[in-house]
Amino acid sequence: MKIGVLALQGDFEAHSQRLAELDVEPVEMRYASQLREVQGLILPGGESSTNIILLEREGLWDGLLEFAREKPILGTCAGAILLASHVSNPPQRSLAAVDMSIERNAYGRQVDSSIRTIEPEAEFAERTARGSLEAVFIRAPIIRSIGPQVRPLLRDGDEPILVEQGLHLAATFHPELTADTRLHKLFLDKVRSA
Amino acid sequence: MFLTDEFRLKVGLAEQLKGGVIMDVTDASQARIAQEAGAVAVMALERVPADIRKEGGVARMANIEKMREIMEAVSIPVMAKARIGHFAEAMVLQALKVDYIDESEVLTPADEEHHIDKHGFKAPFVCGARNLGEALRRIAEGAAMIRTKGEAGSGNVVEAVRHMRAIRQQMKHLTVTGRDELPRIAKDLQAPMELVEWVSREGRLPVPNFSAGGIATPADAALVMSLGAEAVFVGSGVFKSQDPERRAASIVKATTFFSDPEKLLESCEDLGEPMPGLDVASLDEGELLQTRGW
């Protein structure tokens, strides 16, 4: 199984390392033609606005829209912003693969970044493993509302921080920056059963 | 020290900037141009290094209103420079909530003996280095990102190359050095033993390593990326060139596709004139910015 990691800019190396730890071959993606080689795709953390500019400039946007209709995507932080159907602060283009409204930099600036311990709800624990999860939020977005087809899998208080819609997963934090690979495993399960 | 939540968050933001270009800007309109071109962050400062070099005088932290204006103009992270050792400027920048503080040799040093104790700050710091010892001393003080110094404002990449190669070679050497020799190397490097052992084991710096100082063309950016830089700082190179919009976008492209010759060619087309360059070898010792700090 080959999983692509969008590598135009961002913490794609950290995602590749997590995949390698799970014995999956990561493919760093910089060209539209590479989308055909992979069964699933990770949109990493980074700057979402920068990634949009590069995706458009390098001709990957349409390919990505098509990919999202057929194959699973995991988006983390900036990647979740790309997957959303509506983006604020400021408004920007997105792939609309997950029916949710998301606000960029919603906690504030870097000094407002934080690491928080999350107690997973039953479904996440059943599909992965039990135990609390460390969530790293860096200039993170907040999911402000979700559509009827979107299921929250992890919450911080009332706020969904990991959501699922059909093939896709979107996390507002950075699972790639911790040694806990449960979220990557969950994604690989989705790719295998897709 | 690398395991505290606070330090992980500081390094975590640097991770997000990898593969990107951080551009010097002096006002909101330049910041918007940088963001539109695909910069991952901007560095707010009063004058770009080429002007500081030309005009002389004391170069200080930028004007607060200008920095606020820049922070309001863009959604990408905003960094700002404090003078070496000037922890009060750093306190101001942290209170202003800039996303990264650059304790920078481009500004006139405030302390010739001491750098800022960066562990005491919630805001992350980036610091310049010319070699492994300098990089590890800054990390020991709490820097969460290193950038090789190069020679700022020169438009000449030779020093950036020298510093990146020096750090890489020194790290490589450490990976094949026996444990018994590490204390002496730590002594020579004037760096803490704990960090020397870490590098010896891992073969890299414990924080991201970016490149700065003299990068003026897309090919320059590709060169330092190929030598191991994880992202690129461009100072005077963009806004001292003939066509800043085009050049900024081209440097971004070359940084992403640094190993692809066809894409590099595309990035070098229709660029207009670059900033004027300086022969670093002809500069007097006193004119060098890279020798500030220790």
Side-chain angles (χ1 to χ4, degrees), chain B residues 18 21 26-27 31 35 38 58 85 108 122 128 130 141 147 153 174 177 183 186 211 224 238 247 272 280 282 286:
Chain B
K18 282 185 175 177
V21 181
T26 57
D27 59 34
Q35 178 168 269
V58 177
T108 311
K122 191 153 196 266
R130 285 166 300 166
E141 293 158 359
R147 53 169 179 76
L174 271 181
T177 305
S211 178
V224 293
V238 170
R247 184 160 295 261
V280 179
S282 70

Coordinates of all heavy atoms in Angstrom, one line a residue, chain B residues 18 21 26-27 31 35 38 58 85 108 122 128 130 141 147 153 174 177 183 186 211 224 238 247 272 280 282 286:
Chain B
K18 N 8.6 24.2 7.4 CA 9.6 23.5 6.6 C 9.2 23.5 5.1 O 8.0 23.4 4.7 CB 9.7 22.1 7.0 CG 10.6 21.9 8.3 CD 10.8 20.5 8.6 CE 11.8 20.3 9.8 NZ 11.9 18.9 10.1
V21 N 9.4 29.5 2.5 CA 10.3 30.7 2.4 C 9.7 31.8 3.3 O 8.5 32.0 3.3 CB 10.3 31.3 1.0 CG1 11.2 32.5 0.9 CG2 10.8 30.2 0.0
T26 N 8.9 45.3 5.3 CA 9.0 46.5 6.2 C 7.7 47.2 6.3 O 7.6 48.1 7.1 CB 10.0 47.5 5.6 OG1 9.6 47.8 4.2 CG2 11.4 46.9 5.6
D27 N 6.7 46.7 5.6 CA 5.3 47.3 5.8 C 4.2 46.3 5.4 O 4.5 45.3 4.8 CB 5.2 48.7 5.1 CG 5.4 48.5 3.6 OD1 5.1 47.5 3.0 OD2 6.0 49.5 3.0
A31 N 4.1 42.9 3.1 CA 3.7 41.6 3.7 C 2.7 40.9 2.8 O 2.7 39.7 2.7 CB 3.2 41.9 5.1
Q35 N 2.8 37.2 1.1 CA 1.8 36.2 1.4 C 1.2 35.7 0.0 O 1.1 34.5 -0.2 CB 0.7 36.7 2.3 CG -0.4 35.7 2.5 CD -1.3 36.2 3.6 OE1 -1.1 35.9 4.8 NE2 -2.3 36.9 3.3
G38 N 3.3 33.3 -1.8 CA 3.5 31.9 -1.3 C 4.4 31.8 -0.1 O 4.8 30.7 0.3
V58 N 22.5 52.7 14.3 CA 22.1 51.6 15.2 C 20.8 51.0 14.6 O 19.8 51.7 14.4 CB 21.9 52.1 16.6 CG1 21.3 51.0 17.5 CG2 23.2 52.6 17.2
G85 N 21.0 39.8 22.7 CA 21.2 40.1 24.1 C 20.1 41.1 24.6 O 20.1 41.3 25.8
T108 N 22.0 45.8 15.5 CA 23.2 46.1 16.2 C 23.1 45.4 17.6 O 22.1 45.6 18.3 CB 23.3 47.7 16.5 OG1 23.0 48.3 15.2 CG2 24.6 48.1 17.0
K122 N 7.9 32.5 26.5 CA 6.9 31.6 25.9 C 6.9 31.7 24.4 O 6.7 30.7 23.7 CB 5.5 32.1 26.4 CG 4.4 31.0 26.1 CD 3.2 31.1 27.0 CE 2.4 29.9 26.9 NZ 1.2 30.0 26.0
G128 N 20.9 32.8 14.6 CA 21.8 32.5 13.6 C 23.0 31.7 14.1 O 23.3 31.7 15.3
R130 N 27.0 30.0 12.6 CA 28.0 29.7 11.4 C 28.6 28.4 11.5 O 29.2 27.9 10.5 CB 29.1 30.7 11.5 CG 28.8 32.2 11.1 CD 29.9 33.1 11.5 NE 30.0 33.1 13.0 CZ 31.0 33.6 13.7 NH1 32.0 34.1 13.0 NH2 31.0 33.5 15.0
E141 N 20.6 27.7 25.0 CA 20.0 28.9 25.5 C 18.5 28.9 25.3 O 17.8 29.8 25.8 CB 20.5 30.2 24.9 CG 22.0 30.5 25.2 CD 22.7 31.4 24.2 OE1 22.0 31.8 23.2 OE2 23.9 31.7 24.4
R147 N 19.1 29.2 12.1 CA 19.2 29.5 10.7 C 20.7 29.8 10.5 O 21.3 30.5 11.4 CB 18.4 30.7 10.3 CG 18.6 31.9 11.2 CD 18.0 33.2 10.6 NE 18.2 34.2 11.6 CZ 19.4 34.9 11.7 NH1 20.4 34.5 11.0 NH2 19.5 35.8 12.6
G153 N 22.2 40.9 3.6 CA 22.3 42.1 2.8 C 23.4 42.1 1.8 O 23.6 43.2 1.2
L174 N 30.6 13.9 13.9 CA 30.2 13.4 15.2 C 29.5 12.1 15.2 O 29.7 11.3 16.1 CB 29.2 14.4 15.8 CG 29.8 15.6 16.6 CD1 28.6 16.4 17.2 CD2 30.6 15.1 17.8
T177 N 32.2 9.4 15.5 CA 33.2 9.6 16.6 C 32.8 8.8 17.8 O 31.6 8.7 18.1 CB 33.2 11.1 17.0 OG1 33.4 11.9 15.8 CG2 34.2 11.4 18.0
P183 N 33.7 14.3 24.8 CA 34.0 15.4 25.8 C 35.0 16.4 25.2 O 34.8 17.6 25.3 CB 34.6 14.7 27.0 CG 34.0 13.3 26.9 CD 33.9 12.9 25.5
A186 N 33.2 18.4 22.6 CA 32.3 19.4 23.3 C 33.1 20.6 23.8 O 32.7 21.7 23.6 CB 31.6 18.7 24.5
S211 N 18.1 28.2 6.4 CA 19.2 28.9 5.8 C 18.9 30.4 5.6 O 17.8 30.7 5.2 CB 19.7 28.3 4.5 OG 20.7 29.0 3.9
V224 N 20.9 26.1 -1.3 CA 21.0 25.8 0.1 C 20.0 24.7 0.5 O 20.3 24.0 1.5 CB 20.7 27.1 0.9 CG1 21.9 28.1 0.7 CG2 19.4 27.8 0.6
V238 N 14.2 39.9 -2.1 CA 13.0 40.1 -2.8 C 12.7 41.6 -3.1 O 12.6 42.0 -4.3 CB 11.8 39.5 -2.0 CG1 10.4 40.0 -2.6 CG2 11.9 38.0 -1.9
R247 N 9.8 37.7 -8.3 CA 10.9 37.0 -7.7 C 10.5 36.2 -6.5 O 11.0 35.1 -6.2 CB 12.0 38.1 -7.4 CG 13.3 37.5 -6.8 CD 14.4 38.4 -6.9 NE 14.8 38.7 -8.3 CZ 15.8 38.1 -9.0 NH1 16.5 37.2 -8.3 NH2 16.0 38.3 -10.2
G272 N 13.6 39.5 -14.3 CA 14.1 40.9 -14.1 C 15.4 40.8 -13.3 O 16.0 39.8 -13.1
V280 N 31.9 39.5 -0.7 CA 32.0 39.4 0.7 C 33.5 39.5 1.1 O 33.9 40.1 2.1 CB 31.4 38.1 1.3 CG1 31.6 38.1 2.8 CG2 29.9 38.1 1.0
S282 N 35.7 41.3 -0.1 CA 36.2 42.6 -0.1 C 35.8 43.5 1.1 O 36.2 44.6 1.3 CB 35.8 43.3 -1.4 OG 34.4 43.6 -1.4
G286 N 35.0 44.7 10.1 CA 34.0 45.5 10.8 C 32.7 45.6 10.1 O 31.7 45.9 10.7

